[in-house]
Amino acid sequence: MGFLAGRDVLVAGAGVTGRSAAEALLAAGASVTVTDGSADRLSALEPLLPGVALVPGLVAPPSSAELVVTSPGWRPDSPLLVASRAAGLDVIGEVELAWRMGLELADPPAWLAVTGTNGKTTTVGMLESVLRAAGIDAVACGNVGLPVVDALLAGHRVLAVELSSFQLHWSPSVRPAAGVLLNLAEDHLDWHGSFAAYAEAKAQVLTGDVAVAGVDDPYVAELLSASPSPAHVGFTLGAPEEGQLGVVDGNLVDRAFGPDAVLASVSDVHPAGPPGVADALAAAALARAHGVSAEAVRRGLRDFRPGAHRAEVVAVSDGVTYVNDSKATNPHAASASLRSYESVVWVAGGLLKGASVEELVRAEAFRLRGAVLIGADREVIAASLAKYAPSVPVAVLEDATMRDAVRAARSMARAGDAVVLAPAAASMDMFTDYAHRGQAFAEAVRELTGQSQP
């Protein structure tokens, strides 16, 4: 890559994206230094990245550095990044690096980008399934796990890119062929500093050729209206107006891309329920923006199944359904999860990161059979339940294991109920990540019920 050859580049972070960025930079002829607060993470890279300088704990860039590529989790106020900007260096993320590298290709891939507070991974998985059903060489990448730079260098023709607010913050020039903003709710306020800054980062996905957004959310609809994109497309769970996708008589209908078209039946969508249908409409809109046929949309949605820890039925025992939605890491996602069931024993708690649960509890209290609360911010959730759902039995467990939580939830549940792990909070107070939390829940359910996944 011409713009990287011979340049001195500092990579901040030695995780998955840092390693991929360093490998891509080396291949492009750059001189690379990687720094991280963990000397162990750096040591693990030594045999994998020969020729890279590994320097722990930098708080200022080397004097030779010409560019900084940061891992997405590094906050803008990190001393190293503050010092880098003060030195006049360009600070970008791995996604921005992939975008700039792609611009130098003779035939760059198309980017179809997905962001939002919730539903990103499901939507990007649906999109990948639909694109592949159309015979397109496409891959889901970005926040879903595969670094975008790896997908770019692998030569895929279409990139279905999941983008977090962190990644968008560090990607100022990315302009996707089509991008969707699914929804917005309080999340990562500790990182961005305010909801306005968080929303501003998310809205960057609406700066490409086609901007798509969920217009049932008035704030998201406003951001779509303000988008500089030449084409605006909304999606709704109601009947669509012209220029929108929506639902009519149990079918997903497109009134935006050419003549009105029925794309699929609601029964074709997994996971079932309003959040899954909204994600399917968003994925269909991006695919249709790329010219995919209605029949391919139908096949792709029928073929798709959600990944682990997202609305995953773990077991059914004595008429009670046990659901692992550990990926519901904020109140908005937890609310969407609970809405899929009429009577719920809610397993929740963890790190709220400044988000409020009051709206969630007020809206969903009527469906709660009981609640089991664990983790650092369990008392915050308990206070909201006491205020808005005083008749709901609540077990607040201190120093509890997930097995303790499942046992308590099982004792509250009755035939026809769902025991739903929808934490509304991050997991790092008790677990490595949301997947570890979900695995602990699933293992506890199967042990206590003696059931296997249906």
Side-chain angles (χ1 to χ4, degrees):
M1 299 291 170
F3 81 101
L4 293 169
R7 298 187 73 186
D8 283 296
V9 183
L10 172 65
V11 175
V16 174
T17 57
R19 173 186 167 183
S20 291
E23 289 175 338
L25 289 162
L26 280 177
S31 176
V32 182
T33 299
V34 179
T35 189
D36 193 279
S38 168
D40 289 342
R41 270 201 297 265
L42 287 173
S43 296
L45 289 185
E46 192 167 2
L48 304 173
L49 296 173
V52 169
L54 303 172
V55 184
L58 284 179
V59 293
S63 59
S64 60
E66 301 171 79
L67 173 70
V68 178
V69 178
T70 179
S71 296
W74 283 50
R75 293 165 56 126
D77 59 0
S78 299
L80 174 59
L81 303 186
V82 171
S84 297
R85 290 193 298 273
L89 297 178
D90 197 8
V91 179
I92 65 173
E94 172 265 334
V95 173
E96 176 76 10
L97 176 67
W99 176 258
R100 296 185 186 185
M101 292 174 69
L103 293 178
E104 295 206 340
L105 298 176
D107 186 18
W111 287 46
L112 303 177
V114 177
T115 198
T117 302
N118 301 303
K120 297 184 294 296
T121 300
T122 299
T123 301
V124 84
M126 289 175 168
L127 176 59
E128 179 189 60
S129 182
V130 167
L131 293 167
R132 290 183 175 179
I136 296 170
D137 175 23
V139 67
C141 57
N143 197 52
V144 73
L146 175 68
V148 185
V149 71
D150 289 353
L152 174 81
L153 295 178
H156 295 287
R157 299 310 309 137
V158 178
L159 307 183
V161 189
E162 178 185 332
L163 294 174
S164 70
S165 59
F166 304 162
Q167 289 170 316
L168 284 161
H169 177 89
W170 297 118
S171 304
S173 67
V174 171
R175 301 291 181 267
V180 62
L181 176 57
L182 300 170
N183 45 57
L184 276 178
E186 286 187 345
D187 201 13
H188 302 305
L189 302 190
D190 53 343
W191 197 96
H192 290 279
S194 69
F195 181 72
Y198 171 67
E200 181 181 3
K202 289 289 195 183
Q204 287 182 225
V205 81
L206 303 177
T207 58
D209 297 332
V210 181
V212 181
V215 295
D216 291 340
D217 181 329
Y219 190 71
V220 173
E222 286 183 20
L223 292 173
L224 176 63
S225 180
S227 160
S229 297
H232 293 180
V233 175
F235 67 87
T236 173
L237 291 173
E241 299 176 1
E242 187 174 352
Q244 296 181 344
L245 283 74
V247 180
V248 178
D249 296 331
N251 291 310
L252 278 62
V253 174
D254 173 10
R255 298 197 63 206
F257 299 98
D260 291 2
V262 174
L263 302 176
S265 168
V266 167
S267 63
D268 293 327
V269 175
H270 308 278
V277 173
D279 295 343
L281 289 165
L286 294 183
R288 295 286 279 170
H290 192 66
V292 170
S293 70
E295 178 55 35
V297 171
R298 184 179 299 110
R299 290 199 308 272
L301 292 178
R302 283 177 178 168
D303 291 345
F304 175 76
R305 292 296 183 274
H309 314 296
R310 175 68 181 93
E312 179 183 24
V313 175
V314 176
V316 179
S317 177
D318 297 327
V320 177
T321 302
Y322 294 82
V323 181
N324 170 17
D325 205 351
S326 183
K327 207 169 189 300
T329 56
N330 57 66
H332 189 265
S335 181
S337 182
L338 297 180
R339 286 201 305 271
S340 297
Y341 305 95
E342 292 184 3
S343 182
V344 176
V345 177
W346 181 29
V347 181
L351 293 168
L352 288 170
K353 300 178 296 180
S356 171
V357 294
E358 292 208 349
E359 182 179 345
L360 156 63
V361 173
R362 185 169 54 242
E364 308 304 334
F366 74 96
R367 71 178 75 249
L368 296 180
R369 168 83 68 184
V372 178
L373 307 179
I374 60 175
D377 289 330
R378 60 189 178 277
E379 295 290 354
V380 177
I381 303 174
S384 289
L385 285 162
K387 181 177 181 181
Y388 294 108
S391 63
V392 172
V394 178
V396 182
L397 306 184
E398 185 176 358
D399 297 327
T401 65
M402 186 60 81
R403 192 176 188 278
D404 297 330
V406 171
R407 184 187 294 111
R410 188 184 182 202
S411 71
M412 293 181 180
R414 302 291 180 266
D417 291 348
V419 171
V420 181
L421 173 66
S427 58
M428 286 77 75
D429 56 334
M430 293 177 62
F431 304 95
T432 305
D433 52 25
Y434 76 81
H436 180 207
R437 177 172 60 191
Q439 182 180 357
F441 175 80
E443 289 174 353
V445 167
R446 289 169 185 151
E447 177 187 350
L448 292 171
T449 64
Q451 300 292 312
S452 59
Q453 187 170 352

